[in-house]
Amino acid sequence: MSRLSNILRPKSIAVIGASRKEGSLGRMFLEAVLRMNYKGKIYPINPKAEDINGIKVYPDLDSLPEKPDMAVILLAHKFVLQSAEILGKAGIKDVIVISAGFKEVGGEGIAREKELIALGKKYGMNLLGPNCMGIFNTAPEFSFNGTFSPTLPKPGHTAYISQSGALAVAVLELNAETDLGFSIFVSTGNKADITDNDALEFLLEDDNTKVVTLYLESIDQPAGFGEICRKLSAVKPVLAVKAGRTASGLKAASSHTGALANPDHLADAFLRQNGVLRIDTLQELFDTARALEMQPLPGGPGVAVVTNAGGPGILASDAVENAGLKLASFQQKTIEALESFLPAEAASGNPVDMIASANHETYTKAMEIVLEDENVDAVLLIIVQPPVNTTAGKIINEMKSVVQKSGKTIIPVIMAQKNEKAGLDIFKELKLPVYSYPESAVKVLGRMYQYSRIQQQMKQSAKERPIVQTAAAIPPGAGGQAKAADLFELLKSYKIAATPYIISRDADEITGFQKELNSKIVLKTANEEIIHKSDEGLLKLHLDTEAAVRAAYAEIEQSLKQKLPAGIQPLFLAQQQMNPGPELVIGGKRDPQFGPVVMAGFGGIFIEVLKDVIFRFAPLSEKEALMMLDELRSQALFAGFRGQPAVDKEAFAKTIHKFSILLAEHEEIVEMDLNPLIWSAEKQEAVVVDLRATIG
Amino acid sequence: MSRLSNILRPKSIAVIGASRKEGSLGRMFLEAVLRMNYKGKIYPINPKAEDINGIKVYPDLDSLPEKPDMAVILLAHKFVLQSAEILGKAGIKDVIVISAGFKEVGGEGIAREKELIALGKKYGMNLLGPNCMGIFNTAPEFSFNGTFSPTLPKPGHTAYISQSGALAVAVLELNAETDLGFSIFVSTGNKADITDNDALEFLLEDDNTKVVTLYLESIDQPAGFGEICRKLSAVKPVLAVKAGRTASGLKAASSHTGALANPDHLADAFLRQNGVLRIDTLQELFDTARALEMQPLPGGPGVAVVTNAGGPGILASDAVENAGLKLASFQQKTIEALESFLPAEAASGNPVDMIASANHETYTKAMEIVLEDENVDAVLLIIVQPPVNTTAGKIINEMKSVVQKSGKTIIPVIMAQKNEKAGLDIFKELKLPVYSYPESAVKVLGRMYQYSRIQQQMKQSAKERPIVQTAAAIPPGAGGQAKAADLFELLKSYKIAATPYIISRDADEITGFQKELNSKIVLKTANEEIIHKSDEGLLKLHLDTEAAVRAAYAEIEQSLKQKLPAGIQPLFLAQQQMNPGPELVIGGKRDPQFGPVVMAGFGGIFIEVLKDVIFRFAPLSEKEALMMLDELRSQALFAGFRGQPAVDKEAFAKTIHKFSILLAEHEEIVEMDLNPLIWSAEKQEAVVVDLRATIG
């Protein structure tokens, strides 16, 4: 049960502050409820009126014939608290506060909102608002329009949750003449109590909603939001326009992850990871929703284009690849069947260009043939205003039964005036969403296919979510930096491979380490007091004899004595020297909004010049980590480049997965870099060469 | 004078094949001419009719009262040649052949088209078609609709040249209810004689056309097309949708340039270089044309957003940066003036959010203030359906004089139903193009600003076009490869710097070269018979003593003796060894369609993994070469990276400029790579280290 269940499905409502006054909220609200023929009981409450628009008005709550399911408060702000108290005492648990004059006005409004929240808690209320546009539910058994929008919503199966009330009005207005219908609208206003997450919970249980659209300006409770979106997108598409792409610039930060993690990149990664399809523009949001609401999902990426004009067919084909789809290659029988009746000038391949002479019969035959092709998952049906003998209306009428018996996705593009000849009512009856341009229709089809894969991922990932436990915190060293020894131990406990190493103050021990390893080693400082560990004189490479190790030890010791604070003894890190190979950088930081962020990318220029990095939130499954690496622009490097060996992407993904659990379980880690992580061709695994962490 | 001048501006026309028959081309054509009230004289010709629709019909050309300006042939294909011959004899020079049945049907159609072309030549005709949709010119003094489109064009100032006749119908249909009007339409059909280029020539002289839109499937005569587009875009915007993005894949080629130069990348570079603004979708093409036709160009990138709802304001602001624009930062006086009358809850910064209570007076005051701000180049005027007291129509009516006296760009976004309240007629009267969504309006504004810069570039570049002469061809060496000595001489003659070098067979000469240079040298083979010159044993680095040079010489000589064909003597290239620095690759090839292509990018992974290269066509001015480098994704490398020095981008651009002239003047060069070109910090110039060329 969502906390919005009663508010969105009320059998009876009390309207506190219903009014007769022209232009008042109280009157506009009541009129909106009446205009959509609400199926429940309305109890307007106003001590000064006996009826409004022929509806009986009650002086107070006590005079009602029954306890209403839900109450809406439309009073001036100074009366709201008193009214909420009365509702609470009367045991009414579900309340919408439309009234403004709370947190959003600052000053005493903030105090007023706090009191309202306290009252809600005291009486165990579900409180929507204050300062909101209300809600609607167009399901026929409620038909409840609890907004004061001048435009009525057309009933349908798309829910719209908006952080901007005004935008909801715009959306209803702009869709008044499209074929998009709405199921649920929720304006969460100041979100004093009920949040977007509660609205999403409701949509999970609302069978009348087939598609969820969101307008987001911020993501306030990301953990809950992520969880509910994963559940929701496993059963129905969740589309979002997220505003605020050009946020106030990057915050200065000491690590790669910090510097590269701009808020919009993080929001993008967050939405993606939780199954939300981020859409660029409002228009595309609703264009996509229409198709998802009306048509079945494509079973694969194969698109057939059927047209009576070459140009739009070519434009559609061009758009197909960009949309992540492909032009289906027809079966031989399809081509033969098309050739058997199309004129010689027509093209029987894909796109099928039936030329301008195609009439309703030509279209119907072609569609029947193409829809039966095994390689076709979806058909783009393009109709340019036919010059003779037919109309879009006649064409769609003729192919009714072909469309009805096909289980495949069909997206029509009508390049003609949308007048009576266009047959829009028949398209609607057949649940075919109509577009005007081939490019936007293909984009929508691409989104549908994208969602079909998201749906599978979300169903699958529900079983694969990594489990996170709490772990003993590692202590901070000097300047908040973790000690090298602690970090290597930490890696070990998460089974993350590192180069063989020793941390020691003892030259004999280090030469012994080199001798035993029988390999070149690297010697450097392990003092966390030193930030730039690769500075002149602090890092020595290619040490392969005892003498070389001792000389390097002496030199580094000398430098350290000058650089270390008084009383701090030099400490050394000796490591086996790795052969060069593809280098990854993995980073982590705690984002104040989203929590633990993991970043991955190839080191050097790829990060520093090209900023080619991908973000995700911890914890990550191995599969999620692999999908993350799949997004790198420079991933051709995994296949080997200029003599470097090919590397096992999955091995890197495993390390990212383990690192993400480490980060999630160690809340004391503010920032951490594994930099670099080198592919060891001998060991066939990804090996950490250097690392650092800031403990907070 | 364009070859289309008479065809597009006829004072009288003969319609050969005018017909009474319902559904015939001859009848549809005549009806289309009559429906738009053609201002000239119509002479239908048909021996079997006396009048059609009340218009007098003539039995033949001889019976006409005057020699018509132009003739249109609508006959069945078998009568076309005969008819053209009669027209030619009668001295009629301007002819449109609508009739199909020529090249496009193959076989004897091809022969028929050749005969038609020959006839045209014989009589000095300007021949449009065959197999075309005709033309229209909506200028009031002609009002000539010479198409058989079922939809009449709305008069306006946007010309549309289409390689697809059917798409023209679709475009007229889809714009029937927008505020876009058309001036000229030309369907070039089979382009037997008159081409797109002639149509563009006409538009240069047609003052009634303010914006040119193109639908291109191919660019047939690129040299002429490029030249006319440069002229045209210096005075009016040229927008194109170019279909065929996903061409049939890359052709295998031996050079970088060849492998990376996919046909669509080249078309893209070609359009850009010649001032054509390539637009992604048909819808955006006409959305952009509307604004360019109606509004002045923005004088800069500074955009102000004025809105009555926060959400759309944020979405607009987000879109601004992506569109290459910026949110104007208001002058203090602007903010103060806004604050003085807006309610406390409003935002007086940019975007100006006047909240839902804003009425026509609020809007008008705010617009007046914002338009006067010096930092504002353009205003996005967003109106969400106002909840009370006003409408979009009232708002625009109130601000009429403010809009009229402003010389700045204003783009309105009406997020409301486009009914009588929206005031669309007033927007039209004020030449304000109306959009429904903020994102698409901002995109259009970005295109306008982009065009304003193109216009300047094209005006400027007309004076800066490099002059190309013919040069003596360099001869091919073995396997069509140019000889090393010839290539270095070629560089010298174009003043392109190379590393100090010597080409010799003589070990003494080479050791002498090293001694005199007093620097490390590189020794390799100069035999053009060897394709992979850096293979094992053929390249020796870091040679800094006579002994080292002699040893290297011997070793390479040994290898060469095995690899070279019998009778070919080893030849050596010795070069001063450059310090490592940023490496550019410059390539050239002759594209069969577009001619000499120049490619530039950073070497190594940037080309091989990231395919970060830019194309342009030779010859290039220095400025064009610099703009080319500005497009590289990896251009952060110019600023220096990881200890590498910062480099002078202009020096690289100079070399590209010189190379482009070399390529243009040497038509024998099929492919040529300068790879790499290294920045010499000492010499402060770009220096060619290695090069190769295939001579055809």
Side-chain angles (χ1 to χ4, degrees):
Chain A
M1 276 286 281
S2 153
R3 297 188 58 207
L4 272 165
S5 299
N6 277 328
I7 289 181
L8 282 165
R9 291 176 174 155
K11 292 201 192 70
S12 56
I13 57 164
V15 183
I16 324 274
S19 166
R20 235 179 227 167
K21 207 180 133 199
E22 193 73 55
S24 70
L25 278 189
R27 174 155 182 164
M28 280 162 61
F29 185 88
L30 207 57
E31 281 175 355
V33 175
L34 293 173
R35 264 212 313 280
M36 214 169 87
N37 290 319
Y38 171 46
K39 293 293 155 51
K41 293 239 164 71
I42 318 172
Y43 301 117
I45 294 185
N46 184 337
K48 292 178 197 155
E50 293 208 345
D51 79 291
I52 301 174
N53 281 18
I55 305 270
K56 181 175 162 56
V57 177
Y58 298 83
D60 52 36
L61 212 57
D62 290 341
S63 17
L64 302 188
E66 62 172 329
K67 193 178 89 176
D69 247 19
M70 188 261 277
V72 181
I73 302 180
L74 295 146
L75 301 167
H77 61 67
K78 57 185 171 183
F79 303 118
V80 169
L81 293 176
Q82 188 189 344
S83 171
E85 180 92 48
I86 294 170
L87 290 170
K89 281 185 182 155
I92 295 173
K93 304 272 185 216
D94 298 283
V95 179
I96 303 177
V97 184
I98 303 275
S99 320
F102 289 81
K103 193 176 69 181
E104 81 282 4
V105 297
E108 62 179 25
I110 298 176
R112 195 176 299 123
E113 185 153 324
K114 279 190 185 149
E115 277 188 68
L116 182 63
I117 294 170
L119 274 175
K121 284 223 175 96
K122 179 173 161 191
Y123 293 107
M125 281 175 170
N126 300 309
L127 213 67
L128 179 66
N131 183 33
C132 76
M133 274 278 297
I135 54 117
F136 66 64
N137 183 351
T138 67
E141 62 270 38
F142 300 103
S143 192
F144 178 55
N145 179 20
T147 68
F148 35 93
S149 158
T151 321
L152 279 187
K154 271 181 304 175
H157 306 287
T158 295
Y160 178 53
I161 312 293
S162 180
Q163 278 185 24
S164 159
L167 206 50
V169 176
V171 161
L172 291 179
E173 284 276 316
L174 291 174
N175 281 298
E177 277 146 32
T178 71
D179 44 22
L180 183 68
F182 291 93
S183 53
I184 296 287
F185 163 68
V186 179
S187 162
T188 42
N190 288 4
K191 306 185 200 179
D193 177 22
I194 284 178
T195 66
D196 299 325
N197 295 358
D198 299 306
L200 294 170
E201 293 268 11
F202 175 85
L203 297 176
L204 191 58
E205 70 189 40
D206 185 45
D207 293 336
N208 193 40
T209 294
K210 290 187 184 156
V211 181
V212 177
T213 60
L214 306 171
Y215 168 74
L216 301 169
E217 287 176 1
S218 59
I219 298 168
D220 301 318
Q221 294 166 306
F225 181 88
E227 198 174 328
I228 178 70
C229 283
R230 291 174 88 92
K231 278 188 207 155
L232 201 49
S233 56
V235 290
K236 47 188 104 176
V238 183
L239 315 175
V241 165
K242 164 80 177 68
R245 282 198 180 269
T246 49
S248 53
L250 312 179
K251 282 182 208 142
S254 60
S255 72
H256 282 320
T257 318
L260 293 168
N262 106 27
D264 191 60
H265 290 165
L266 294 187
D268 209 71
F270 182 80
L271 294 173
R272 181 172 303 214
Q273 190 168 356
N274 292 302
V276 180
L277 204 50
R278 186 173 186 178
I279 307 281
D280 291 330
T281 71
L282 270 188
Q283 181 159 21
E284 201 195 330
L285 181 71
F286 296 108
D287 266 357
T288 309
R290 289 197 290 134
L292 284 164
E293 182 183 325
M294 296 167 90
Q295 278 289 296
L297 292 177
V303 179
V305 178
V306 175
T307 177
N308 62 344
I314 298 178
L315 290 174
S317 308
D318 276 0
V320 156
E321 204 171 288
N322 273 340
L325 301 165
K326 56 179 194 177
L327 275 186
S329 58
F330 286 159
Q331 292 176 289
Q332 192 53 34
K333 62 161 197 182
T334 304
I335 296 172
E336 282 164 15
L338 288 170
E339 276 172 352
S340 76
F341 78 98
L342 289 177
E345 300 84 356
S348 302
N350 191 7
V352 184
D353 179 4
M354 306 181 296
I355 72 173
S357 57
N359 67 8
H360 36 284
E361 284 160 9
T362 326
Y363 262 102
T364 302
K365 263 197 202 168
M367 282 295 283
E368 189 162 19
I369 292 163
V370 165
L371 282 165
E372 270 172 19
D373 190 301
E374 280 176 13
N375 301 330
V376 171
D377 301 301
V379 179
L380 200 76
L381 168 65
I382 301 177
I383 306 174
V384 169
Q385 177 65 44
V388 276
N389 300 333
T390 194
T391 61
K394 272 194 197 166
I395 291 170
I396 193 63
N397 193 52
E398 179 82 14
M399 67 170 74
K400 262 188 177 180
S401 68
V402 171
V403 171
Q404 277 159 341
K405 77 174 187 216
S406 149
K408 294 185 177 174
T409 319
I410 300 173
I411 305 286
V413 178
I414 312 298
M415 302 186 80
Q417 288 181 66
K418 303 299 179 292
N419 55 24
E420 65 291 349
K421 290 183 197 160
L424 294 188
D425 47 340
I426 310 177
F427 284 98
K428 199 168 179 183
E429 180 196 330
L430 294 172
K431 292 186 180 295
L432 293 169
V434 170
Y435 298 86
S436 292
Y437 288 94
E439 301 99 326
S440 37
V442 172
K443 205 164 182 185
V444 162
L445 200 49
R447 293 297 195 182
M448 293 178 84
Y449 177 58
Q450 210 181 340
Y451 172 66
S452 74
R453 286 179 304 167
I454 288 176
Q455 190 179 50
Q456 285 164 14
Q457 282 159 23
M458 289 300 132
K459 280 182 180 160
Q460 187 63 24
S461 78
K463 300 167 209 154
E464 290 167 354
R465 291 288 285 166
I467 294 156
V468 172
Q469 290 156 341
T470 41
I474 61 167
Q481 293 298 304
K483 289 177 193 293
D486 289 341
L487 287 176
F488 280 102
E489 281 304 314
L490 189 61
L491 291 188
K492 218 174 279 173
S493 69
Y494 284 89
K495 301 194 168 60
I496 299 173
T499 43
Y501 75 99
I502 187 173
I503 294 171
S504 172
R505 301 191 197 280
D506 181 353
D508 292 341
E509 206 168 23
I510 294 168
T511 56
F513 167 77
Q514 190 275 324
K515 211 170 286 170
E516 197 174 330
L517 213 54
N518 191 24
S519 155
K520 283 186 189 174
I521 69 164
V522 176
L523 190 64
K524 54 189 164 187
T525 174
N527 291 91
E528 76 269 16
E529 292 83 358
I530 304 292
I531 301 299
H532 301 291
K533 295 191 167 60
S534 56
D535 272 4
E536 189 71 31
L538 294 179
L539 170 69
K540 301 286 164 188
L541 303 166
H542 307 294
L543 311 174
D544 55 359
T545 62
E546 183 175 336
V549 173
R550 287 199 188 272
Y553 182 97
E555 212 177 313
I556 295 174
E557 188 179 38
Q558 186 63 26
S559 295
L560 280 175
K561 279 185 176 157
Q562 287 159 25
K563 294 189 179 179
L564 283 172
I568 303 292
Q569 291 304 310
L571 185 65
F572 294 83
L573 169 63
Q575 293 173 292
Q576 182 172 26
Q577 179 148 354
M578 297 287 295
N579 291 324
E583 290 187 8
L584 226 64
V585 175
I586 299 178
K589 72 160 219 165
R590 298 207 115 68
D591 182 74
Q593 190 189 359
F594 293 110
V597 187
V598 175
M599 182 202 82
F602 283 101
I605 43 168
F606 293 98
I607 284 195
E608 290 170 43
V609 177
L610 298 165
K611 306 197 188 314
D612 182 17
V613 294
I614 310 293
F615 296 96
R616 285 291 186 277
F617 296 88
L620 281 169
S621 70
E622 278 182 37
K623 198 177 277 175
E624 285 176 313
L626 199 58
M627 284 168 57
M628 183 179 175
L629 294 179
D630 281 342
E631 287 179 29
L632 285 171
R633 279 180 279 143
S634 43
Q635 65 169 294
L637 294 180
F638 285 116
F641 171 72
R642 287 215 166 164
Q644 285 195 353
V647 303
D648 183 353
K649 208 195 272 189
E650 288 185 26
F652 276 119
K654 267 187 192 140
T655 307
I656 293 173
H657 157 68
K658 292 178 201 164
F659 176 74
S660 79
I661 294 181
L662 180 161
L663 190 69
E665 293 187 345
H666 284 271
E667 293 189 1
E668 75 281 8
I669 297 176
V670 179
E671 289 188 350
M672 180 165 179
D673 283 342
L674 310 184
N675 180 11
L677 194 71
I678 291 189
W679 176 248
S680 162
E682 304 136 71
K683 298 187 184 171
Q684 288 288 304
E685 70 178 338
V687 175
V688 176
V689 171
D690 212 342
L691 77 171
R692 51 167 291 276
T694 312
I695 308 298
Chain B
M1 275 288 280
S2 153
R3 296 187 59 208
L4 272 165
S5 298
N6 278 327
I7 289 181
L8 282 164
R9 290 176 174 155
K11 292 199 192 71
S12 56
I13 58 164
V15 182
I16 323 272
S19 166
R20 235 179 229 165
K21 206 179 132 202
E22 193 73 55
S24 70
L25 277 189
R27 172 152 184 167
M28 279 162 62
F29 185 87
L30 207 59
E31 280 176 355
V33 175
L34 294 173
R35 265 211 313 280
M36 215 169 88
N37 288 319
Y38 171 46
K39 291 295 154 50
K41 295 241 165 65
I42 319 173
Y43 301 117
I45 295 185
N46 184 336
K48 292 180 200 155
E50 294 209 345
D51 80 290
I52 301 174
N53 280 17
I55 305 270
K56 181 175 161 53
V57 176
Y58 299 83
D60 52 36
L61 210 58
D62 290 340
S63 18
L64 301 189
E66 62 173 328
K67 192 179 91 177
D69 248 20
M70 187 261 277
V72 181
I73 301 180
L74 294 147
L75 302 166
H77 58 68
K78 57 184 170 182
F79 302 117
V80 170
L81 294 175
Q82 187 190 345
S83 171
E85 181 93 49
I86 294 170
L87 291 170
K89 282 185 180 153
I92 296 174
K93 304 271 185 219
D94 298 283
V95 178
I96 303 178
V97 184
I98 303 275
S99 319
F102 290 81
K103 193 176 69 182
E104 80 282 6
V105 297
E108 62 177 24
I110 297 177
R112 195 176 297 124
E113 185 153 324
K114 279 189 185 151
E115 279 189 67
L116 182 63
I117 294 170
L119 275 175
K121 282 221 176 97
K122 177 172 163 193
Y123 293 107
M125 280 175 171
N126 300 309
L127 213 68
L128 180 65
N131 183 34
C132 77
M133 273 279 297
I135 54 119
F136 66 65
N137 183 350
T138 66
E141 62 271 38
F142 300 101
S143 193
F144 177 55
N145 180 19
T147 68
F148 36 92
S149 158
T151 319
L152 280 188
K154 271 180 305 174
H157 307 287
T158 294
Y160 178 55
I161 312 293
S162 180
Q163 278 185 22
S164 158
L167 205 51
V169 176
V171 161
L172 291 178
E173 285 276 316
L174 291 173
N175 281 297
E177 276 147 32
T178 71
D179 44 22
L180 183 68
F182 291 94
S183 54
I184 296 287
F185 163 69
V186 179
S187 162
T188 42
N190 288 4
K191 307 185 202 180
D193 176 23
I194 284 177
T195 65
D196 299 327
N197 295 358
D198 298 307
L200 295 169
E201 293 268 11
F202 176 85
L203 297 176
L204 191 58
E205 70 189 37
D206 184 46
D207 293 337
N208 193 41
T209 294
K210 290 187 184 155
V211 181
V212 177
T213 59
L214 306 171
Y215 168 73
L216 301 170
E217 287 176 2
S218 60
I219 299 169
D220 300 318
Q221 295 166 305
F225 181 88
E227 198 174 329
I228 178 70
C229 283
R230 290 174 89 92
K231 279 188 206 154
L232 201 49
S233 58
V235 291
K236 49 188 101 176
V238 183
L239 315 175
V241 164
K242 165 79 178 67
R245 283 198 180 269
T246 48
S248 53
L250 313 179
K251 283 182 206 140
S254 59
S255 74
H256 283 320
T257 317
L260 292 168
N262 104 28
D264 192 60
H265 290 165
L266 294 187
D268 208 71
F270 182 80
L271 294 173
R272 183 174 301 216
Q273 189 168 357
N274 292 302
V276 180
L277 206 49
R278 186 173 186 178
I279 307 281
D280 291 329
T281 71
L282 270 189
Q283 180 158 24
E284 200 195 329
L285 181 71
F286 297 108
D287 265 357
T288 308
R290 291 197 288 135
L292 284 165
E293 182 184 326
M294 296 167 91
Q295 278 290 294
L297 293 176
V303 179
V305 178
V306 176
T307 178
N308 62 345
I314 298 177
L315 290 175
S317 308
D318 277 0
V320 156
E321 204 170 290
N322 273 341
L325 302 164
K326 56 178 196 178
L327 275 186
S329 60
F330 286 159
Q331 293 175 288
Q332 191 53 35
K333 63 163 195 182
T334 304
I335 296 172
E336 282 165 14
L338 289 169
E339 275 173 352
S340 76
F341 78 98
L342 290 176
E345 299 83 358
S348 302
N350 192 5
V352 184
D353 179 3
M354 306 181 297
I355 73 172
S357 57
N359 67 8
H360 36 284
E361 285 162 8
T362 327
Y363 262 102
T364 304
K365 262 196 204 170
M367 282 296 282
E368 188 161 20
I369 293 163
V370 165
L371 282 164
E372 271 172 19
D373 191 298
E374 281 176 13
N375 301 330
V376 171
D377 301 300
V379 179
L380 200 77
L381 168 64
I382 300 177
I383 306 175
V384 168
Q385 178 65 44
V388 276
N389 298 332
T390 196
T391 61
K394 273 193 197 168
I395 291 170
I396 195 60
N397 194 51
E398 179 81 15
M399 67 169 73
K400 262 188 176 181
S401 67
V402 171
V403 170
Q404 277 159 341
K405 77 174 187 217
S406 150
K408 293 182 177 174
T409 319
I410 301 173
I411 305 285
V413 178
I414 312 298
M415 302 186 81
Q417 289 181 65
K418 303 298 179 292
N419 54 23
E420 67 292 347
K421 290 184 198 161
L424 294 188
D425 48 341
I426 311 176
F427 283 99
K428 197 167 183 185
E429 179 196 330
L430 294 171
K431 292 185 179 295
L432 293 169
V434 170
Y435 299 86
S436 291
Y437 287 94
E439 300 99 328
S440 37
V442 171
K443 205 163 184 186
V444 162
L445 200 49
R447 293 297 196 182
M448 294 178 84
Y449 178 57
Q450 210 180 341
Y451 172 65
S452 74
R453 286 178 304 168
I454 288 175
Q455 191 179 49
Q456 285 165 14
Q457 282 159 23
M458 290 300 132
K459 280 182 179 159
Q460 187 63 25
S461 77
K463 301 167 209 154
E464 289 167 356
R465 291 288 286 167
I467 296 158
V468 172
Q469 291 155 341
T470 41
I474 60 168
Q481 293 299 301
K483 290 175 191 295
D486 289 341
L487 287 176
F488 280 102
E489 282 304 313
L490 189 63
L491 291 187
K492 219 175 276 171
S493 68
Y494 285 89
K495 300 194 169 61
I496 299 173
T499 42
Y501 75 99
I502 188 174
I503 294 172
S504 172
R505 303 192 196 280
D506 180 353
D508 293 342
E509 206 170 25
I510 293 168
T511 57
F513 169 76
Q514 189 274 323
K515 211 170 286 170
E516 197 176 328
L517 213 55
N518 192 22
S519 155
K520 283 184 189 174
I521 68 163
V522 175
L523 190 64
K524 55 189 162 188
T525 173
N527 292 90
E528 75 269 15
E529 292 83 358
I530 304 292
I531 301 298
H532 301 291
K533 295 191 167 62
S534 56
D535 271 3
E536 189 73 28
L538 295 179
L539 171 70
K540 301 287 163 187
L541 304 166
H542 306 295
L543 311 174
D544 55 359
T545 62
E546 183 177 334
V549 173
R550 288 197 187 274
Y553 183 96
E555 211 176 315
I556 294 174
E557 188 179 37
Q558 186 62 28
S559 296
L560 280 176
K561 279 185 177 157
Q562 287 159 26
K563 295 191 178 178
L564 284 173
I568 304 290
Q569 290 306 306
L571 186 64
F572 294 83
L573 170 63
Q575 293 174 293
Q576 182 172 26
Q577 178 148 355
M578 299 286 296
N579 291 323
E583 290 186 11
L584 226 65
V585 174
I586 300 178
K589 72 159 221 166
R590 298 206 116 68
D591 182 75
Q593 189 187 1
F594 294 110
V597 188
V598 175
M599 181 203 82
F602 284 101
I605 40 168
F606 293 98
I607 285 195
E608 290 170 43
V609 177
L610 298 165
K611 306 198 188 314
D612 182 17
V613 294
I614 310 294
F615 296 96
R616 284 292 185 280
F617 296 89
L620 280 169
S621 69
E622 278 182 37
K623 199 177 276 177
E624 284 176 314
L626 198 58
M627 282 168 56
M628 185 179 174
L629 294 178
D630 281 343
E631 286 178 30
L632 285 171
R633 278 180 280 143
S634 44
Q635 66 171 293
L637 294 180
F638 287 115
F641 170 73
R642 283 215 169 165
Q644 286 194 350
V647 303
D648 184 353
K649 206 195 274 188
E650 289 184 24
F652 276 117
K654 268 187 191 137
T655 307
I656 294 173
H657 157 67
K658 291 177 202 165
F659 175 74
S660 78
I661 294 183
L662 180 161
L663 190 68
E665 295 186 344
H666 284 270
E667 292 188 1
E668 74 280 8
I669 297 176
V670 178
E671 289 189 349
M672 179 164 179
D673 283 343
L674 309 184
N675 180 12
L677 195 69
I678 290 191
W679 177 248
S680 161
E682 303 136 70
K683 297 186 185 171
Q684 287 287 304
E685 68 178 340
V687 175
V688 177
V689 171
D690 213 343
L691 76 173
R692 51 168 292 276
T694 312
I695 308 298

